[in-house]
Amino acid sequence: MSLARIPVELLQQILAFALEANPTPSDVLSVNKAFHELGQTLLHARLQFCSINQLILFSQGTMPLACAPRTLTVALAGGSADFEVFKHLAAALERCRRSRQSTDKNGAPEGAAQVPLDLISLRLHSHISNPHLGYIYEALSLANPKTFVWKGPDPEHHFSRAIVPTATYHLIRALSTWTAIEHITLTNLTFPSDELGLNTPFARDAPLLPALPTLRTLYIGQATLLPPGAVAAMLALPGQDALVRVRLVDAYRHSIWGPRIRRRDVEDAARALKALSEERQRELVERVRRVVTCEKKTERIMGGDNGDAQGELI
């Protein structure tokens, strides 16, 4: 059958399959005019970057996008920790914003709007010695996603630290600017904290996240230096009523060689919040029991709670 006779809907599906994680999508788009027009719309609706070079080339483009992007994915091979990846991501999102403003019939003022997205998904490493981690805030504050995912690139059974403490700090700053966020998933991270609050500004009783009125679910996996009091303080914040589920999977208050956080640790932390009355503490404990689940998923060779079965930790 001639390509000219293929229904548009079927051709879109073929192109979507051909463009999925394709390192050189231009090879597909250059087949003919129909491939270019349909394929470019598919690419721009679901932006996917599998290399730093792709990200740079896109950010340097000057033409308006074929359509407003709905999702943005950065999945670097091997999770390579390029020191300027978030600088290039900021430039890419700035291009999306310029394109949106050029086609916005309402005439949004220059620099006024974030880029609305259904999803931002990152699968890459950060690096503790990276001097450019501040670009995490610069980049992610340009967007306003409904779902945000940042996972480590290693296999799930490999406990790695993809999101270093400084990266976590700038990430939390960025997500405080999001007004549409509903779901957050973070794995392989270390929080910029210690239980005494001596080494960083992230103290024991500081809320884990700022109040996000639209946030419904939060998943944190393979996390270290996570104070249980930070989770309790977050749930105590006014304006956090939409949050119906917090999953802490293989989360540790110290290192992975100690015990995992259990739900009772968060309950005890809620009872210890001195800023709350006894009645509010009791209400918070009940909310912790409704909302928070703590789980063991990945077995270690050795460590503080290896005897526990996989599943929920009460």
Side-chain angles (χ1 to χ4, degrees), residues 123-250:
R123 201 169 185 89
L124 50 84
H125 285 296
S126 59
H127 199 284
I128 199 165
S129 62
N130 186 351
H132 303 296
L133 288 177
Y135 277 105
I136 293 175
Y137 172 80
E138 298 296 331
L140 297 180
S141 62
L142 290 172
N144 193 13
K146 293 181 179 179
T147 299
F148 178 79
V149 178
W150 187 350
K151 293 183 176 183
D154 297 322
E156 286 192 5
H157 67 272
H158 183 192
F159 201 108
S160 62
R161 188 172 68 168
I163 311 176
V164 299
T166 305
T168 305
Y169 170 73
H170 291 297
L171 170 61
I172 292 173
R173 287 181 60 219
L175 62 83
S176 69
T177 69
W178 297 342
T179 59
I181 189 67
E182 296 180 5
H183 308 285
I184 295 175
T185 297
L186 305 172
T187 71
N188 309 95
L189 73 161
T190 298
F191 284 88
S193 64
D194 59 76
E195 289 238 78
L196 298 178
L198 298 177
N199 299 324
T200 70
F202 197 77
R204 176 172 54 187
D205 292 342
L208 179 64
L209 300 180
L212 298 169
T214 58
L215 183 63
R216 297 174 55 200
T217 66
L218 173 64
Y219 179 103
I220 294 177
Q222 293 196 9
T224 55
L225 294 182
L226 172 59
V231 180
M234 175 186 68
L235 292 173
L237 287 174
Q240 203 77 288
D241 299 335
L243 187 57
V244 295
R245 191 173 193 194
V246 176
R247 291 182 64 192
L248 307 179
V249 181
D250 293 330

Side-chain angles (χ1 to χ4, degrees), residues 34 36 38 60 63 74 114 156 158 175 178 210 216 223 258 295:
H36 183 271
L38 291 174
Q60 292 174 343
M63 295 293 292
V74 180
Q114 295 172 305
E156 286 192 5
H158 183 192
L175 62 83
W178 297 342
R216 297 174 55 200
E295 304 170 36

Side-chain angles (χ1 to χ4, degrees), residues 2 18 66 73 98 101 116 120 125 135 147 152 155 164 167 203 211 216 297:
S2 169
T73 300
R98 288 196 308 269
Q101 290 168 348
I120 294 179
H125 285 296
Y135 277 105
T147 299
V164 299
R216 297 174 55 200
K297 181 178 180 181

